[in-house]
């Protein structure tokens, strides 16, 4: 059996009140439709076809990949019409091949639920993902006959009062025998309240032809929720973050408040990891064992090794942090920062594209950029590496055991030798030899004749 997947993503999303196509709005830092594509890929389909319409080029650019085909739906005349546009891109079907129809604005359906639906469709059946709702307003109802067999789906606007009392609803997600799909779509009519071609009408056609109609249900109702407004998007964001937090808790991570963490990518954590409130993780973040992260920290594409403590309000991006380091509070590690073990980066210290050797410290108010800092170096408060001359970036090299006094200015390119001492307040423009004290210091003078100007009283 070969599986093709069609993702409907042509809607405008007027209620989003945005120029951005609805399916490109982010959930957990990733476009809604990207969540759907990732779930689709987990099923190893033969091909994926995305149906686009409003904002089409933006959708194509966001999803462009060798395994994805695109078909434009213009105008948008319903779900059945949308799937019609995919037919030319589907391969000649075998007898057991299936087409799975997904929706680009329904981002949280688990791959396991989709796999169960595909399994229910085996043997030439049509399978529908359904869910039981307390309030089914607006949803198509599953109409069953004697013995519970599915007879058809009736849309809410076309349903009778008795049919509207049904709680089992169609999610729109279905697996269809591909060899029958084209014929069923050709027979669709738009004689309904919406004037659209409903994909759901093929269910009655299947029943009429003696094709068995099966159903499957997801493990949670939220797997089938779609996004039509910013309010719904925010609701799904919190559901998704709650699920991530629950998974972290089950892995043994301590979350000071599971409702106040945001993961917008992948977060991998070892044993005895503690995360305080308000932290945001983006991209690919890997935390080793015995790591503590203080409140309101931001980590993007970061590797942190065991025993490190990251204090409050620290910002780390595209950086690597060694074991048993102490970062922050209010520290910033920019792209290219690489810290060895037992490094201290303190409050209001910024490190960019620099390596910091084991045991080195920059505890206060410093900038280290485009630098190679050795082991057990002390960088005093107010020190900066002047790495940019307005045109080029240049490198600063500081040898092992060097001591950089407070408020030093190191003008790159420059080399500070191992064990060198730089006097406080110095501007260093030439090599500072190893083991020597180097400083620049203007002669201090007191002007005895100086008097402050008298203040005006008017």
């Amino acid at each position: 059996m070969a599986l093709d997947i069609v993702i409907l993503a042509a809607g405008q999303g007027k209620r989003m009140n945005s120029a951005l196509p609805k399916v490109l709005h982010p959930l957990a830092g990733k476009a809604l439709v990207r969540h759907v594509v990732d779930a689709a890929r987990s099923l190893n389909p033969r091909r994926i076809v995305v149906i686009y319409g409003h904002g089409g080029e933006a959708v194509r650019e966001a999803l462009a990949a060798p395994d994805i085909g695109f078909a434009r739906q213009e105008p948008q005349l319903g779900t059945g019409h949308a799937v019609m546009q995919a037919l030319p891109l589907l391969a000649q079907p075998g007898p057991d091949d299936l087409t799975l129809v997904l929706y680009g604005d329904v981002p949280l359906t688990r791959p396991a639920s989709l796999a169960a639906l595909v399994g229910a469709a085996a043997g030439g059946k049509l399978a529908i993902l359904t869910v039981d709702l307390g309030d089914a307003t607006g949803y198509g109802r599953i109409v069953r006959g004697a013995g519970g067999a599915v007879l058809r789906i009736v849309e809410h606007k076309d349903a009778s009062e008795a049919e509207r009392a049904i709680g089992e609803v169609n999610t729109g997600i279905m697996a269809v025998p591909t060899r029958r799909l084209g014929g069923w779509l050709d027979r669709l009519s738009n004689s309904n309240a919406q004037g659209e071609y409903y994909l759901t009408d093929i269910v009655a056609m299947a029943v009429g032809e003696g094709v068995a109609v099966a159903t499957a249900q997801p493990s949670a109702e939220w797997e089938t929720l779609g996004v039509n407004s910013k309010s719904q998007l925010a609701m799904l964001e919190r559901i998704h973050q709650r699920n991530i937090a629950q998974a972290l808790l089950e892995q043994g991570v301590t979350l000071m408040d599971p409702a106040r963490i945001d993961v917008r990518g992948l977060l991998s954590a070892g044993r005895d990891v503690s995360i305080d409130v308000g932290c945001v993780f983006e991209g690919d973040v890997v935390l080793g064992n015995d790591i503590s992260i203080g409140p309101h920290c931001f980590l993007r594409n970061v590797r942190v090794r065991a025993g490190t403590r990251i204090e409050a309000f620290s910002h780390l991006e595209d950086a690597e942090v060694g074991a048993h380091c102490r970062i922050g509070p209010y520290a910033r590690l920019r792209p290219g920062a690489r810290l060895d073990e037992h490094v201290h980066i303190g409050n209001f210290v910024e490190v960019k594209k620099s390596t910091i050797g084991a045991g080195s410290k920059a505890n206060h108010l410093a900038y280290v950029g485009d630098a190679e800092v050795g082991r057990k170096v002390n960088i005093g408060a107010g020190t900066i590496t002047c790495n940019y001359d307005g045109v080029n970036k240049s490198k600063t090299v500081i040898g092992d055991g060097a001591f950089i006094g407070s408020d030093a200015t190191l003008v790159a390119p420059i080399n500070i030798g191992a064990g060198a001492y730089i006097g406080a307040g110095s501007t260093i423009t030439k090599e500072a030899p190893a083991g020597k004290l180097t400083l620049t210091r203007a002669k201090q003078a007191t002007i005895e004749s100086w008097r402050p100007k008298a203040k005006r009283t008017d």
Side-chain angles (χ1 to χ4, degrees):
M1 180 191 76
L3 176 68
D4 294 329
I5 298 179
V6 177
I7 300 174
L8 308 190
Q12 183 176 6
K14 292 181 179 179
R15 282 190 281 163
M16 300 298 284
N17 290 313
S18 171
L20 186 69
K22 178 173 67 171
V23 297
L24 295 186
H25 282 263
L27 184 143
K30 183 167 64 175
L32 293 170
V33 69
R34 176 62 68 182
H35 287 271
V36 182
V37 168
D38 289 347
R41 284 184 172 137
S42 73
L43 302 178
N44 297 313
R46 176 170 55 187
R47 66 189 58 199
I48 298 172
V49 178
V50 174
I51 309 301
Y52 69 96
H54 291 281
E57 290 310 309
V59 173
R60 288 182 62 120
E61 291 174 8
L63 297 178
D67 64 333
I68 296 180
F70 295 91
R72 186 177 185 88
Q73 184 191 19
E74 184 61 44
Q76 282 81 53
L77 299 177
T79 53
H81 179 256
V83 178
M84 291 177 194
Q85 314 313 307
L87 289 179
L89 299 179
L90 302 182
Q92 186 67 29
D96 297 321
D97 292 353
L98 290 173
T99 296
L100 177 65
V101 179
L102 304 177
Y103 294 80
D105 59 357
V106 181
L108 299 184
T109 313
R110 289 172 171 166
S113 297
L114 297 178
L117 179 66
V118 170
K125 295 189 289 292
L126 185 154
I128 310 164
L129 192 69
T130 71
V131 65
D132 292 307
L133 298 179
D135 180 5
T137 302
Y139 288 88
R141 309 306 203 275
I142 303 297
V143 180
R144 294 180 182 268
V150 175
L151 299 180
R152 61 193 175 92
I153 298 173
V154 59
E155 295 301 321
H156 179 86
K157 291 185 177 181
D158 302 312
S160 67
E161 287 301 317
E163 289 167 339
R164 290 186 180 185
I166 297 171
E168 185 184 14
V169 303
N170 169 45
T171 67
I173 297 172
M174 61 174 65
V176 185
T178 305
R179 63 187 177 89
R180 294 181 179 270
L181 180 59
W184 288 341
L185 292 175
D186 286 342
R187 292 162 52 194
L188 290 179
S189 168
N190 65 345
S191 298
N192 51 59
Q194 292 289 88
E196 295 183 347
Y197 298 91
Y198 295 147
L199 180 64
T200 50
D201 287 349
I202 70 173
V203 174
M205 297 177 191
V207 172
E209 294 179 12
V211 175
V213 177
T215 59
Q217 291 203 326
S219 59
E221 178 185 322
W222 50 258
E223 291 189 54
T224 67
L225 296 178
V227 173
N228 290 301
S229 67
K230 292 291 180 66
S231 176
Q232 291 174 340
L233 178 62
M235 180 180 70
L236 263 64
E237 179 76 41
R238 295 331 310 161
I239 291 172
H240 185 59
Q241 295 299 337
R242 181 194 67 198
N243 294 338
I244 293 173
Q246 184 62 35
L248 291 170
L249 291 168
E250 291 172 358
Q251 294 167 20
V253 176
T254 297
L255 302 178
M256 296 307 176
D257 185 349
R260 289 189 284 172
I261 180 176
D262 285 87
V263 179
R264 301 166 188 166
L266 297 175
L267 173 59
S268 174
R271 295 174 62 88
D272 298 312
V273 170
S274 174
I275 301 173
D276 214 323
V277 301
C279 292
V280 176
F281 302 88
E282 290 190 356
D284 188 5
V285 177
V286 179
L287 306 177
N289 296 332
D290 193 27
I291 288 172
S292 172
I293 300 179
H296 305 290
C297 291
F298 176 90
L299 282 74
R300 176 191 290 148
N301 298 326
V302 173
R303 302 289 189 275
V304 184
R305 290 182 172 80
T308 287
R309 182 179 181 89
I310 300 175
E311 304 285 359
F313 294 99
S314 294
H315 185 119
L316 290 70
E317 182 177 1
D318 294 300
E320 294 184 8
V321 180
H324 305 289
C325 291
R326 184 162 182 168
I327 311 298
Y330 296 97
R332 185 180 183 192
L333 302 184
R334 291 172 57 191
R338 303 289 182 264
L339 278 54
D340 210 334
E341 61 185 16
H342 295 286
V343 169
H344 288 187
I345 301 296
N347 48 285
F348 305 103
V349 175
E350 179 178 341
V351 180
K352 188 272 293 186
K353 199 178 178 182
S354 298
T355 59
I356 311 292
S360 292
K361 300 178 181 180
N363 281 327
H364 320 279
L365 302 163
Y367 170 68
V368 181
D370 295 277
E372 182 181 317
V373 179
R375 299 167 59 87
K376 295 185 177 180
V377 171
N378 183 83
I379 297 176
T383 293
I384 64 170
T385 58
C386 301
N387 58 318
Y388 184 51
D389 63 6
V391 178
N392 299 307
K393 299 286 182 70
S394 298
K395 189 173 184 179
T396 297
V397 178
I398 303 175
D400 294 346
F403 183 95
I404 313 299
S406 297
D407 202 28
T409 302
L410 309 180
V411 182
I414 197 170
N415 185 75
I416 309 297
Y421 277 69
I422 304 298
S426 296
T427 297
I428 305 299
T429 60
K430 300 178 181 179
E431 180 174 346
K436 304 292 184 180
L437 171 63
T438 300
L439 55 83
T440 58
R441 194 69 57 79
K443 182 179 180 181
Q444 181 172 320
T446 300
I447 310 303
E448 298 291 350
S449 61
W450 178 85
R451 295 289 183 272
K453 293 182 179 179
K455 294 183 178 179
R456 296 177 61 178
T457 59
D458 56 342

